[in-house]
mmCIF file of all heavy atoms in Angstrom:
data_model
loop_
_atom_site.group_PDB
_atom_site.id
_atom_site.type_symbol
_atom_site.label_atom_id
_atom_site.label_comp_id
_atom_site.label_asym_id
_atom_site.label_seq_id
_atom_site.Cartn_x
_atom_site.Cartn_y
_atom_site.Cartn_z
ATOM 1 N N ILE O 196 -19.545 -2.693 0.236
ATOM 2 C CA ILE O 196 -18.339 -2.573 1.099
ATOM 3 C C ILE O 196 -18.492 -3.316 2.436
ATOM 4 O O ILE O 196 -19.518 -3.290 3.060
ATOM 5 C CB ILE O 196 -18.048 -1.039 1.418
ATOM 6 C CG1 ILE O 196 -17.747 -0.277 0.171
ATOM 7 C CG2 ILE O 196 -16.814 -0.970 2.397
ATOM 8 C CD1 ILE O 196 -17.480 1.190 0.352
ATOM 9 N N ARG O 197 -17.486 -4.145 2.676
ATOM 10 C CA ARG O 197 -17.413 -4.911 3.903
ATOM 11 C C ARG O 197 -16.194 -4.522 4.636
ATOM 12 O O ARG O 197 -15.153 -4.238 4.082
ATOM 13 C CB ARG O 197 -17.438 -6.410 3.629
ATOM 14 C CG ARG O 197 -17.334 -7.348 4.819
ATOM 15 C CD ARG O 197 -17.675 -8.792 4.392
ATOM 16 N NE ARG O 197 -16.693 -9.362 3.528
ATOM 17 C CZ ARG O 197 -15.546 -10.040 3.899
ATOM 18 N NH1 ARG O 197 -15.339 -10.107 5.214
ATOM 19 N NH2 ARG O 197 -14.770 -10.593 3.004
ATOM 20 N N PHE O 198 -16.226 -4.548 6.060
ATOM 21 C CA PHE O 198 -15.141 -4.149 6.867
ATOM 22 C C PHE O 198 -14.524 -5.287 7.622
ATOM 23 O O PHE O 198 -15.286 -6.232 8.147
ATOM 24 C CB PHE O 198 -15.574 -3.054 7.825
ATOM 25 C CG PHE O 198 -15.902 -1.763 7.172
ATOM 26 C CD1 PHE O 198 -17.262 -1.536 6.720
ATOM 27 C CD2 PHE O 198 -14.982 -0.734 7.035
ATOM 28 C CE1 PHE O 198 -17.567 -0.400 6.050
ATOM 29 C CE2 PHE O 198 -15.349 0.456 6.372
ATOM 30 C CZ PHE O 198 -16.603 0.628 5.914
ATOM 31 N N VAL O 199 -13.253 -5.365 7.676
ATOM 32 C CA VAL O 199 -12.469 -6.307 8.593
ATOM 33 C C VAL O 199 -11.716 -5.489 9.538
ATOM 34 O O VAL O 199 -10.782 -4.789 9.123
ATOM 35 C CB VAL O 199 -11.577 -7.223 7.695
ATOM 36 C CG1 VAL O 199 -10.793 -8.161 8.624
ATOM 37 C CG2 VAL O 199 -12.351 -8.029 6.703
ATOM 38 N N TRP O 200 -12.091 -5.570 10.792
ATOM 39 C CA TRP O 200 -11.511 -4.723 11.849
ATOM 40 C C TRP O 200 -10.300 -5.360 12.450
ATOM 41 O O TRP O 200 -10.207 -6.574 12.477
ATOM 42 C CB TRP O 200 -12.583 -4.311 12.844
ATOM 43 C CG TRP O 200 -13.775 -3.753 12.297
ATOM 44 C CD1 TRP O 200 -15.038 -4.310 12.128
ATOM 45 C CD2 TRP O 200 -13.911 -2.363 11.751
ATOM 46 N NE1 TRP O 200 -15.899 -3.376 11.631
ATOM 47 C CE2 TRP O 200 -15.244 -2.242 11.401
ATOM 48 C CE3 TRP O 200 -13.035 -1.287 11.689
ATOM 49 C CZ2 TRP O 200 -15.757 -1.025 10.842
ATOM 50 C CZ3 TRP O 200 -13.517 -0.125 11.162
ATOM 51 C CH2 TRP O 200 -14.888 -0.009 10.754
ATOM 52 N N ASN O 201 -9.539 -4.586 13.113
ATOM 53 C CA ASN O 201 -8.320 -5.077 13.882
ATOM 54 C C ASN O 201 -7.518 -6.056 13.082
ATOM 55 O O ASN O 201 -7.270 -7.170 13.495
ATOM 56 C CB ASN O 201 -8.835 -5.712 15.169
ATOM 57 C CG ASN O 201 -9.555 -4.733 16.072
ATOM 58 O OD1 ASN O 201 -9.061 -3.644 16.282
ATOM 59 N ND2 ASN O 201 -10.698 -5.066 16.534
ATOM 60 N N ALA O 202 -7.206 -5.727 11.863
ATOM 61 C CA ALA O 202 -6.485 -6.600 11.027
ATOM 62 C C ALA O 202 -5.478 -5.815 10.113
ATOM 63 O O ALA O 202 -5.608 -4.663 9.856
ATOM 64 C CB ALA O 202 -7.435 -7.345 10.041
ATOM 65 N N GLU O 203 -4.336 -6.531 9.751
ATOM 66 C CA GLU O 203 -3.391 -5.945 8.885
ATOM 67 C C GLU O 203 -2.900 -6.913 7.894
ATOM 68 O O GLU O 203 -2.760 -8.136 8.172
ATOM 69 C CB GLU O 203 -2.193 -5.445 9.746
ATOM 70 C CG GLU O 203 -1.493 -6.382 10.598
ATOM 71 C CD GLU O 203 -0.397 -5.809 11.472
ATOM 72 O OE1 GLU O 203 -0.242 -4.551 11.389
ATOM 73 O OE2 GLU O 203 0.283 -6.535 12.210
ATOM 74 N N VAL O 204 -2.582 -6.490 6.747
ATOM 75 C CA VAL O 204 -2.076 -7.346 5.646
ATOM 76 C C VAL O 204 -0.662 -7.576 5.876
ATOM 77 O O VAL O 204 0.188 -6.634 6.059
ATOM 78 C CB VAL O 204 -2.272 -6.756 4.282
ATOM 79 C CG1 VAL O 204 -1.677 -7.577 3.239
ATOM 80 C CG2 VAL O 204 -3.801 -6.607 3.964
ATOM 81 N N VAL O 205 -0.163 -8.832 5.906
ATOM 82 C CA VAL O 205 1.242 -9.183 6.240
ATOM 83 C C VAL O 205 1.864 -9.813 4.969
ATOM 84 O O VAL O 205 3.128 -9.905 4.943
ATOM 85 C CB VAL O 205 1.397 -10.089 7.482
ATOM 86 C CG1 VAL O 205 0.934 -9.388 8.690
ATOM 87 C CG2 VAL O 205 0.515 -11.377 7.268
ATOM 88 N N GLU O 206 1.127 -10.220 3.969
ATOM 89 C CA GLU O 206 1.677 -10.757 2.765
ATOM 90 C C GLU O 206 0.679 -10.727 1.608
ATOM 91 O O GLU O 206 -0.536 -10.993 1.916
ATOM 92 C CB GLU O 206 2.183 -12.217 3.000
ATOM 93 C CG GLU O 206 2.970 -12.722 1.851
ATOM 94 C CD GLU O 206 3.478 -14.199 2.109
ATOM 95 O OE1 GLU O 206 3.363 -14.652 3.204
ATOM 96 O OE2 GLU O 206 4.081 -14.770 1.138
ATOM 97 N N VAL O 207 1.167 -10.425 0.456
ATOM 98 C CA VAL O 207 0.362 -10.514 -0.744
ATOM 99 C C VAL O 207 0.686 -11.735 -1.478
ATOM 100 O O VAL O 207 1.856 -12.089 -1.702
ATOM 101 C CB VAL O 207 0.579 -9.274 -1.674
ATOM 102 C CG1 VAL O 207 -0.317 -9.373 -2.914
ATOM 103 C CG2 VAL O 207 0.308 -8.027 -0.900
ATOM 104 N N LEU O 208 -0.343 -12.558 -1.875
ATOM 105 C CA LEU O 208 -0.125 -13.703 -2.588
ATOM 106 C C LEU O 208 -0.528 -13.711 -4.043
ATOM 107 O O LEU O 208 -1.328 -12.864 -4.441
ATOM 108 C CB LEU O 208 -1.009 -14.889 -1.915
ATOM 109 C CG LEU O 208 -0.866 -15.021 -0.345
ATOM 110 C CD1 LEU O 208 -1.920 -16.034 0.187
ATOM 111 C CD2 LEU O 208 0.568 -15.452 0.024
ATOM 112 N N GLY O 209 0.138 -14.482 -4.869
ATOM 113 C CA GLY O 209 -0.199 -14.474 -6.230
ATOM 114 C C GLY O 209 0.764 -15.135 -7.169
ATOM 115 O O GLY O 209 1.718 -15.855 -6.714
ATOM 116 N N VAL O 210 0.570 -14.971 -8.433
ATOM 117 C CA VAL O 210 1.504 -15.600 -9.478
ATOM 118 C C VAL O 210 2.373 -14.405 -9.947
ATOM 119 O O VAL O 210 1.885 -13.399 -10.530
ATOM 120 C CB VAL O 210 0.737 -16.153 -10.671
ATOM 121 C CG1 VAL O 210 1.674 -16.735 -11.696
ATOM 122 C CG2 VAL O 210 -0.321 -17.244 -10.128
ATOM 123 N N GLU O 211 3.690 -14.551 -9.712
ATOM 124 C CA GLU O 211 4.606 -13.469 -10.026
ATOM 125 C C GLU O 211 4.506 -12.992 -11.402
ATOM 126 O O GLU O 211 4.454 -13.758 -12.358
ATOM 127 C CB GLU O 211 6.045 -13.919 -9.720
ATOM 128 C CG GLU O 211 7.062 -12.689 -9.711
ATOM 129 C CD GLU O 211 8.396 -13.192 -9.257
ATOM 130 O OE1 GLU O 211 8.592 -14.347 -8.834
ATOM 131 O OE2 GLU O 211 9.290 -12.271 -9.213
ATOM 132 N N ASN O 212 4.506 -11.697 -11.522
ATOM 133 C CA ASN O 212 4.450 -10.967 -12.897
ATOM 134 C C ASN O 212 3.100 -11.205 -13.607
ATOM 135 O O ASN O 212 2.995 -10.959 -14.816
ATOM 136 C CB ASN O 212 5.635 -11.339 -13.833
ATOM 137 C CG ASN O 212 6.946 -10.860 -13.303
ATOM 138 O OD1 ASN O 212 6.970 -9.812 -12.658
ATOM 139 N ND2 ASN O 212 8.005 -11.675 -13.476
ATOM 140 N N LYS O 213 2.108 -11.752 -12.884
ATOM 141 C CA LYS O 213 0.864 -11.993 -13.531
ATOM 142 C C LYS O 213 -0.308 -11.430 -12.780
ATOM 143 O O LYS O 213 -0.992 -10.426 -13.247
ATOM 144 C CB LYS O 213 0.602 -13.533 -13.717
ATOM 145 C CG LYS O 213 1.472 -14.127 -14.777
ATOM 146 C CD LYS O 213 1.088 -15.535 -15.135
ATOM 147 C CE LYS O 213 1.876 -16.133 -16.236
ATOM 148 N NZ LYS O 213 1.528 -17.488 -16.622
ATOM 149 N N HIS O 214 -0.620 -11.888 -11.589
ATOM 150 C CA HIS O 214 -1.825 -11.338 -10.938
ATOM 151 C C HIS O 214 -1.777 -11.785 -9.386
ATOM 152 O O HIS O 214 -1.046 -12.759 -9.047
ATOM 153 C CB HIS O 214 -3.085 -11.837 -11.491
ATOM 154 C CG HIS O 214 -3.212 -13.331 -11.580
ATOM 155 N ND1 HIS O 214 -3.729 -14.119 -10.629
ATOM 156 C CD2 HIS O 214 -2.972 -14.134 -12.667
ATOM 157 C CE1 HIS O 214 -3.716 -15.400 -10.927
ATOM 158 N NE2 HIS O 214 -3.211 -15.499 -12.207
ATOM 159 N N VAL O 215 -2.602 -11.060 -8.648
ATOM 160 C CA VAL O 215 -2.779 -11.392 -7.164
ATOM 161 C C VAL O 215 -3.901 -12.405 -7.045
ATOM 162 O O VAL O 215 -4.842 -12.358 -7.753
ATOM 163 C CB VAL O 215 -3.100 -10.123 -6.397
ATOM 164 C CG1 VAL O 215 -3.688 -10.374 -5.023
ATOM 165 C CG2 VAL O 215 -1.907 -9.178 -6.364
ATOM 166 N N THR O 216 -3.680 -13.321 -6.028
ATOM 167 C CA THR O 216 -4.673 -14.303 -5.795
ATOM 168 C C THR O 216 -5.250 -14.164 -4.384
ATOM 169 O O THR O 216 -6.326 -14.718 -4.049
ATOM 170 C CB THR O 216 -4.132 -15.701 -5.985
ATOM 171 O OG1 THR O 216 -3.026 -15.985 -5.046
ATOM 172 C CG2 THR O 216 -3.648 -15.986 -7.383
ATOM 173 N N GLY O 217 -4.596 -13.512 -3.522
ATOM 174 C CA GLY O 217 -5.091 -13.333 -2.093
ATOM 175 C C GLY O 217 -4.067 -12.629 -1.233
ATOM 176 O O GLY O 217 -3.030 -12.127 -1.699
ATOM 177 N N VAL O 218 -4.436 -12.541 0.037
ATOM 178 C CA VAL O 218 -3.542 -11.930 1.030
ATOM 179 C C VAL O 218 -3.533 -12.701 2.327
ATOM 180 O O VAL O 218 -4.511 -13.492 2.604
ATOM 181 C CB VAL O 218 -3.955 -10.427 1.307
ATOM 182 C CG1 VAL O 218 -3.778 -9.554 0.140
ATOM 183 C CG2 VAL O 218 -5.439 -10.401 1.858
ATOM 184 N N LYS O 219 -2.506 -12.571 3.080
ATOM 185 C CA LYS O 219 -2.526 -13.103 4.468
ATOM 186 C C LYS O 219 -2.780 -11.906 5.413
ATOM 187 O O LYS O 219 -2.084 -10.844 5.229
ATOM 188 C CB LYS O 219 -1.125 -13.740 4.727
ATOM 189 C CG LYS O 219 -0.873 -15.049 4.085
ATOM 190 C CD LYS O 219 0.376 -15.666 4.591
ATOM 191 C CE LYS O 219 0.623 -17.065 3.926
ATOM 192 N NZ LYS O 219 1.860 -17.666 4.416
ATOM 193 N N VAL O 220 -3.764 -12.111 6.255
ATOM 194 C CA VAL O 220 -4.140 -11.059 7.172
ATOM 195 C C VAL O 220 -3.915 -11.465 8.638
ATOM 196 O O VAL O 220 -4.284 -12.636 9.014
ATOM 197 C CB VAL O 220 -5.644 -10.712 6.934
ATOM 198 C CG1 VAL O 220 -6.063 -9.680 7.930
ATOM 199 C CG2 VAL O 220 -5.857 -10.272 5.527
ATOM 200 N N ARG O 221 -3.370 -10.656 9.405
ATOM 201 C CA ARG O 221 -3.145 -10.946 10.781
ATOM 202 C C ARG O 221 -4.069 -10.138 11.722
ATOM 203 O O ARG O 221 -4.180 -8.912 11.592
ATOM 204 C CB ARG O 221 -1.673 -10.614 11.210
ATOM 205 C CG ARG O 221 -1.352 -10.883 12.708
ATOM 206 C CD ARG O 221 0.152 -10.859 12.902
ATOM 207 N NE ARG O 221 0.746 -9.551 12.588
ATOM 208 C CZ ARG O 221 1.998 -9.433 12.187
ATOM 209 N NH1 ARG O 221 2.743 -10.577 12.075
ATOM 210 N NH2 ARG O 221 2.439 -8.283 11.825
ATOM 211 N N ASP O 222 -4.674 -10.771 12.653
ATOM 212 C CA ASP O 222 -5.473 -10.152 13.664
ATOM 213 C C ASP O 222 -4.589 -9.432 14.605
ATOM 214 O O ASP O 222 -3.720 -10.039 15.266
ATOM 215 C CB ASP O 222 -6.328 -11.241 14.353
ATOM 216 C CG ASP O 222 -7.364 -10.597 15.273
ATOM 217 O OD1 ASP O 222 -7.057 -9.784 16.193
ATOM 218 O OD2 ASP O 222 -8.604 -10.967 15.181
ATOM 219 N N THR O 223 -4.825 -8.083 14.783
ATOM 220 C CA THR O 223 -3.906 -7.342 15.592
ATOM 221 C C THR O 223 -4.093 -7.570 17.101
ATOM 222 O O THR O 223 -3.253 -7.152 17.889
ATOM 223 C CB THR O 223 -4.112 -5.813 15.290
ATOM 224 O OG1 THR O 223 -5.491 -5.420 15.554
ATOM 225 C CG2 THR O 223 -3.714 -5.430 13.918
ATOM 226 N N GLU O 224 -5.173 -8.161 17.463
ATOM 227 C CA GLU O 224 -5.395 -8.532 18.924
ATOM 228 C C GLU O 224 -4.967 -9.932 19.273
ATOM 229 O O GLU O 224 -4.380 -10.155 20.322
ATOM 230 C CB GLU O 224 -6.923 -8.330 19.214
ATOM 231 C CG GLU O 224 -7.393 -6.862 19.057
ATOM 232 C CD GLU O 224 -8.765 -6.690 19.494
ATOM 233 O OE1 GLU O 224 -9.578 -7.608 19.328
ATOM 234 O OE2 GLU O 224 -9.171 -5.518 19.944
ATOM 235 N N THR O 225 -5.273 -10.929 18.380
ATOM 236 C CA THR O 225 -4.918 -12.267 18.723
ATOM 237 C C THR O 225 -3.657 -12.841 18.086
ATOM 238 O O THR O 225 -3.022 -13.727 18.529
ATOM 239 C CB THR O 225 -6.050 -13.266 18.336
ATOM 240 O OG1 THR O 225 -6.136 -13.201 16.903
ATOM 241 C CG2 THR O 225 -7.406 -12.831 18.895
ATOM 242 N N GLY O 226 -3.196 -12.125 17.045
ATOM 243 C CA GLY O 226 -2.028 -12.461 16.240
ATOM 244 C C GLY O 226 -2.285 -13.609 15.219
ATOM 245 O O GLY O 226 -1.343 -14.041 14.533
ATOM 246 N N GLU O 227 -3.492 -14.114 15.184
ATOM 247 C CA GLU O 227 -3.858 -15.198 14.204
ATOM 248 C C GLU O 227 -3.795 -14.660 12.805
ATOM 249 O O GLU O 227 -4.181 -13.557 12.419
ATOM 250 C CB GLU O 227 -5.229 -15.677 14.534
ATOM 251 C CG GLU O 227 -5.698 -16.773 13.603
ATOM 252 C CD GLU O 227 -7.190 -17.202 13.871
ATOM 253 O OE1 GLU O 227 -7.835 -16.550 14.696
ATOM 254 O OE2 GLU O 227 -7.590 -18.164 13.126
ATOM 255 N N VAL O 228 -3.170 -15.546 11.990
ATOM 256 C CA VAL O 228 -3.015 -15.155 10.528
ATOM 257 C C VAL O 228 -3.849 -16.082 9.720
ATOM 258 O O VAL O 228 -3.890 -17.297 9.844
ATOM 259 C CB VAL O 228 -1.532 -15.392 10.098
ATOM 260 C CG1 VAL O 228 -1.363 -15.149 8.604
ATOM 261 C CG2 VAL O 228 -0.617 -14.410 10.852
ATOM 262 N N THR O 229 -4.690 -15.416 8.846
ATOM 263 C CA THR O 229 -5.542 -16.189 7.925
ATOM 264 C C THR O 229 -5.333 -15.725 6.490
ATOM 265 O O THR O 229 -4.835 -14.629 6.225
ATOM 266 C CB THR O 229 -7.004 -15.976 8.306
ATOM 267 O OG1 THR O 229 -7.322 -14.571 8.277
ATOM 268 C CG2 THR O 229 -7.290 -16.507 9.714
ATOM 269 N N GLU O 230 -5.779 -16.550 5.586
ATOM 270 C CA GLU O 230 -5.637 -16.224 4.152
ATOM 271 C C GLU O 230 -6.961 -15.778 3.606
ATOM 272 O O GLU O 230 -8.037 -16.350 3.964
ATOM 273 C CB GLU O 230 -5.116 -17.418 3.357
ATOM 274 C CG GLU O 230 -3.672 -17.717 3.527
ATOM 275 C CD GLU O 230 -3.105 -18.714 2.548
ATOM 276 O OE1 GLU O 230 -3.803 -19.006 1.495
ATOM 277 O OE2 GLU O 230 -2.030 -19.245 2.768
ATOM 278 N N MET O 231 -7.003 -14.722 2.797
ATOM 279 C CA MET O 231 -8.212 -14.225 2.171
ATOM 280 C C MET O 231 -8.025 -14.204 0.712
ATOM 281 O O MET O 231 -7.157 -13.503 0.140
ATOM 282 C CB MET O 231 -8.459 -12.767 2.748
ATOM 283 C CG MET O 231 -9.709 -12.123 2.116
ATOM 284 S SD MET O 231 -9.823 -10.303 2.508
ATOM 285 C CE MET O 231 -9.843 -10.355 4.352
ATOM 286 N N PRO O 232 -8.834 -14.968 -0.068
ATOM 287 C CA PRO O 232 -8.788 -14.897 -1.518
ATOM 288 C C PRO O 232 -9.180 -13.555 -1.974
ATOM 289 O O PRO O 232 -10.209 -13.070 -1.514
ATOM 290 C CB PRO O 232 -9.775 -16.057 -1.949
ATOM 291 C CG PRO O 232 -9.944 -16.910 -0.734
ATOM 292 C CD PRO O 232 -9.758 -16.025 0.369
ATOM 293 N N ILE O 233 -8.482 -12.983 -2.902
ATOM 294 C CA ILE O 233 -8.798 -11.612 -3.359
ATOM 295 C C ILE O 233 -8.193 -11.454 -4.721
ATOM 296 O O ILE O 233 -7.201 -12.053 -5.005
ATOM 297 C CB ILE O 233 -8.343 -10.603 -2.353
ATOM 298 C CG1 ILE O 233 -9.292 -9.336 -2.414
ATOM 299 C CG2 ILE O 233 -6.958 -10.133 -2.552
ATOM 300 C CD1 ILE O 233 -10.597 -9.544 -1.705
ATOM 301 N N ASP O 234 -8.711 -10.529 -5.557
ATOM 302 C CA ASP O 234 -8.173 -10.294 -6.932
ATOM 303 C C ASP O 234 -7.313 -9.036 -7.021
ATOM 304 O O ASP O 234 -6.495 -8.867 -7.923
ATOM 305 C CB ASP O 234 -9.323 -10.079 -7.865
ATOM 306 C CG ASP O 234 -10.224 -11.350 -7.950
ATOM 307 O OD1 ASP O 234 -9.665 -12.456 -8.152
ATOM 308 O OD2 ASP O 234 -11.455 -11.207 -7.705
ATOM 309 N N GLY O 235 -7.451 -8.100 -5.994
ATOM 310 C CA GLY O 235 -6.675 -6.915 -6.075
ATOM 311 C C GLY O 235 -6.505 -6.257 -4.687
ATOM 312 O O GLY O 235 -7.330 -6.432 -3.834
ATOM 313 N N VAL O 236 -5.407 -5.607 -4.546
ATOM 314 C CA VAL O 236 -5.140 -4.878 -3.273
ATOM 315 C C VAL O 236 -4.804 -3.392 -3.514
ATOM 316 O O VAL O 236 -3.914 -3.058 -4.291
ATOM 317 C CB VAL O 236 -3.866 -5.523 -2.630
ATOM 318 C CG1 VAL O 236 -3.577 -4.829 -1.313
ATOM 319 C CG2 VAL O 236 -4.038 -7.054 -2.374
ATOM 320 N N PHE O 237 -5.591 -2.561 -2.866
ATOM 321 C CA PHE O 237 -5.354 -1.118 -3.047
ATOM 322 C C PHE O 237 -4.878 -0.539 -1.693
ATOM 323 O O PHE O 237 -5.549 -0.672 -0.627
ATOM 324 C CB PHE O 237 -6.708 -0.401 -3.415
ATOM 325 C CG PHE O 237 -7.041 -0.719 -4.878
ATOM 326 C CD1 PHE O 237 -7.731 -1.789 -5.260
ATOM 327 C CD2 PHE O 237 -6.673 0.219 -5.865
ATOM 328 C CE1 PHE O 237 -8.007 -2.124 -6.630
ATOM 329 C CE2 PHE O 237 -6.952 0.016 -7.204
ATOM 330 C CZ PHE O 237 -7.650 -1.160 -7.613
ATOM 331 N N ILE O 238 -3.695 0.030 -1.668
ATOM 332 C CA ILE O 238 -3.136 0.644 -0.500
ATOM 333 C C ILE O 238 -3.600 2.054 -0.387
ATOM 334 O O ILE O 238 -3.283 2.825 -1.372
ATOM 335 C CB ILE O 238 -1.581 0.548 -0.511
ATOM 336 C CG1 ILE O 238 -1.132 -0.899 -0.901
ATOM 337 C CG2 ILE O 238 -1.027 0.951 0.799
ATOM 338 C CD1 ILE O 238 -1.569 -1.945 0.079
ATOM 339 N N ALA O 239 -4.238 2.445 0.657
ATOM 340 C CA ALA O 239 -4.751 3.758 0.754
ATOM 341 C C ALA O 239 -4.576 4.399 2.132
ATOM 342 O O ALA O 239 -5.401 4.714 2.915
ATOM 343 C CB ALA O 239 -6.291 3.730 0.496
ATOM 344 N N ILE O 240 -3.241 4.440 2.427
ATOM 345 C CA ILE O 240 -2.859 4.955 3.751
ATOM 346 C C ILE O 240 -2.183 6.316 3.647
ATOM 347 O O ILE O 240 -1.618 6.832 4.596
ATOM 348 C CB ILE O 240 -1.910 3.986 4.472
ATOM 349 C CG1 ILE O 240 -0.688 3.619 3.613
ATOM 350 C CG2 ILE O 240 -2.685 2.685 4.868
ATOM 351 C CD1 ILE O 240 0.282 2.711 4.349
ATOM 352 N N GLY O 241 -2.330 6.948 2.490
ATOM 353 C CA GLY O 241 -1.893 8.345 2.294
ATOM 354 C C GLY O 241 -0.709 8.516 1.355
ATOM 355 O O GLY O 241 -0.136 7.525 0.844
ATOM 356 N N HIS O 242 -0.389 9.718 1.083
ATOM 357 C CA HIS O 242 0.713 10.088 0.224
ATOM 358 C C HIS O 242 1.687 11.042 0.990
ATOM 359 O O HIS O 242 1.205 11.785 1.855
ATOM 360 C CB HIS O 242 0.271 10.799 -1.107
ATOM 361 C CG HIS O 242 -0.386 9.777 -2.038
ATOM 362 N ND1 HIS O 242 -1.606 9.310 -1.826
ATOM 363 C CD2 HIS O 242 0.035 9.251 -3.186
ATOM 364 C CE1 HIS O 242 -1.990 8.472 -2.815
ATOM 365 N NE2 HIS O 242 -0.941 8.402 -3.643
ATOM 366 N N ARG O 243 2.935 11.088 0.609
ATOM 367 C CA ARG O 243 3.881 11.906 1.218
ATOM 368 C C ARG O 243 4.544 12.798 0.167
ATOM 369 O O ARG O 243 5.308 12.236 -0.722
ATOM 370 C CB ARG O 243 4.937 11.130 1.964
ATOM 371 C CG ARG O 243 6.004 12.029 2.659
ATOM 372 C CD ARG O 243 7.131 11.201 3.315
ATOM 373 N NE ARG O 243 6.561 10.377 4.415
ATOM 374 C CZ ARG O 243 6.450 9.050 4.372
ATOM 375 N NH1 ARG O 243 6.748 8.388 3.198
ATOM 376 N NH2 ARG O 243 5.969 8.286 5.341
#
Side-chain angles (χ1 to χ4, degrees):
I196 298 177
R197 178 167 65 89
F198 293 87
V199 176
W200 306 105
N201 299 312
E203 57 185 2
V204 173
V205 294
E206 186 178 354
V207 180
L208 308 173
V210 181
E211 190 171 1
N212 294 327
K213 288 191 176 182
H214 57 84
V215 165
T216 59
V218 292
K219 286 186 178 180
V220 178
R221 178 168 57 209
D222 188 304
T223 57
E224 294 184 332
T225 66
E227 180 184 4
V228 176
T229 57
E230 289 191 14
M231 179 190 301
I233 210 77
D234 300 305
V236 179
F237 287 83
I238 311 300
I240 55 178
H242 288 75
R243 181 183 297 108

